[in-house]
Amino acid sequence: MPRVRGGSKRKESRKKIMALAKGFKGKRGTSHRIAKQAVMKALRNSYIDRRRRKRDFRRLWITRISAAAKLNGMSYSKFIGGLERQEVGLNRKILAEIAVHDAETFAVLVGTAKEGVAEE
Amino acid sequence: MQRTFVAKNEEIGKSWNRDWYLVNAEGKRLGRLASEIAMILQGKRKPIYTPHVDTGDYVVVINAAKIDLSGNKWDQKLYRRHSGYIGGLKEIPYRRLIEKRPTFPVREAVRRMLPKTTLGRRMLRKLKVYAGPEHPHTAQRPEEIAL
């Protein structure tokens, strides 16, 4: 069997790595040996952070809802508890957007939540 | 898809878009007051709060020298710093510190509650502390709030 030389395949795989490392700082973007490690780490981090993003945003929404609820004289936990009781099906993302853009509607929601709390 | 609102530095970052608050520290507990101030400086009391943007407001504290502590902290609360040399630990009890630098305890308590980042240090610059009842920010017309 004829001997196979690996040059072309190797070039392909290097090109792939170097393309992913484009824009990295210093040798991490120019030298294949360093770039390979950097790319592995970058892909791992982006995988982790795509999952983290969901938690990060939920935290942000809760902070915003909490601030808006306190402006209307209600704590976050009481507010969410009251809405739950009234079976208001809005999620935290939409509640946060309402809190930012439409304070009047949010005040109405706080009113609803207060009724919910009072029912107990 | 409905995208989450993000506050822009160009709009909120301008000082004329920020509010001013006046806090009278007389007789207030140091830590409890500081945590409320830290919340205002960070903008966490506003629905537009955005973590990477400073959405906070200005806080003017007056009568900082007349702030109160619970328990025996007047003599037992020690402010420590280390010069880096051997035996370079300096300790000063609250009672002596408040005489020497009356605005320091409030500022320091708030500083330690803010994020230890560039943004955190920028937030601290919005805090103005004065030992007595006067302050030079009448032009900003700070709104007095009870904390």
Side-chain angles (χ1 to χ4, degrees):
Chain A
M1 226 170 101
R3 190 167 87 89
V4 179
R5 295 174 66 212
S8 68
K9 280 285 172 209
R10 197 172 269 201
K11 193 171 154 196
E12 263 173 45
S13 106
R14 274 172 186 248
K15 264 174 90 173
K16 217 168 23 182
I17 300 268
M18 294 316 288
L20 287 171
K22 207 157 247 173
F24 285 13
K25 194 175 174 181
K27 273 194 207 172
R28 293 163 75 83
T30 55
S31 142
H32 173 255
R33 194 175 285 196
I34 309 289
K36 194 174 160 191
Q37 295 177 17
V39 166
M40 285 192 323
K41 202 162 179 176
L43 291 175
R44 171 178 163 274
N45 283 342
S46 52
Y47 178 87
I48 293 168
D49 288 344
R50 278 195 299 277
R51 273 140 195 87
R52 257 217 82 95
R53 182 164 62 210
K54 286 137 190 107
R55 286 174 259 161
D56 289 343
F57 270 106
R58 192 179 162 95
R59 273 183 72 173
L60 175 59
W61 297 326
I62 288 174
T63 310
R64 284 181 178 168
I65 296 166
S66 173
K70 285 201 188 101
L71 287 178
N72 287 287
M74 206 176 189
S75 79
Y76 171 79
S77 68
K78 286 265 160 62
F79 176 62
I80 290 288
L83 288 187
E84 203 85 355
R85 191 158 284 268
Q86 295 281 0
E87 292 176 357
V88 177
L90 296 174
N91 60 22
R92 282 165 183 79
K93 178 180 171 182
I94 299 303
L95 286 173
E97 285 306 296
I98 294 171
V100 173
H101 296 293
D102 191 352
E104 281 168 36
T105 309
F106 196 85
V108 174
L109 283 168
V110 170
T112 315
K114 274 182 182 157
E115 283 167 30
V117 172
E119 263 178 36
E120 281 183 56
Chain B
M1 193 174 86
Q2 173 78 44
R3 282 187 166 255
T4 297
F5 169 83
V6 175
K8 293 280 188 301
N9 213 6
E10 295 87 69
E11 300 151 24
I12 186 68
K14 303 292 180 217
S15 52
W16 54 86
N17 279 335
R18 297 184 194 279
D19 296 331
W20 285 72
Y21 293 110
L22 181 67
V23 176
N24 189 351
E26 191 174 356
K28 295 278 164 45
R29 298 277 196 230
L30 177 59
R32 293 180 186 278
L33 187 81
S35 64
E36 293 291 330
I37 294 171
M39 290 289 273
I40 298 174
L41 293 175
Q42 289 177 80
K44 281 199 165 183
R45 302 213 321 181
K46 294 167 147 188
I48 58 160
Y49 170 76
T50 306
H52 65 281
V53 178
D54 180 4
T55 52
D57 294 317
Y58 285 87
V59 179
V60 179
V61 179
I62 54 170
N63 289 324
K66 292 185 186 162
I67 204 153
D68 198 17
L69 296 176
S70 61
N72 293 326
K73 288 184 198 136
W74 282 86
D75 297 303
Q76 287 176 0
K77 185 172 170 59
L78 294 174
Y79 284 80
R80 295 193 173 90
R81 58 185 191 273
H82 202 287
S83 66
Y85 290 101
I86 296 167
L89 177 68
K90 300 249 169 86
E91 287 179 333
I92 175 164
Y94 183 84
R95 192 181 290 282
R96 279 205 287 137
L97 182 74
I98 196 90
E99 271 169 35
K100 258 170 85 175
R101 302 173 66 187
T103 61
F104 182 81
V106 172
R107 213 185 136 73
E108 182 69 0
V110 174
R111 186 185 70 79
R112 288 176 178 177
M113 290 180 188
L114 289 174
K116 277 85 192 163
T117 58
T118 316
L119 189 63
R121 288 189 288 276
R122 209 151 65 207
M123 288 164 173
L124 189 65
R125 288 214 289 270
K126 299 200 304 292
L127 175 67
K128 320 280 179 189
V129 188
Y130 300 97
E134 282 119 40
H135 66 86
H137 303 291
T138 40
Q140 281 73 30
R141 279 177 299 179
E143 180 196 337
E144 177 142 20
I145 46 169
L147 295 179

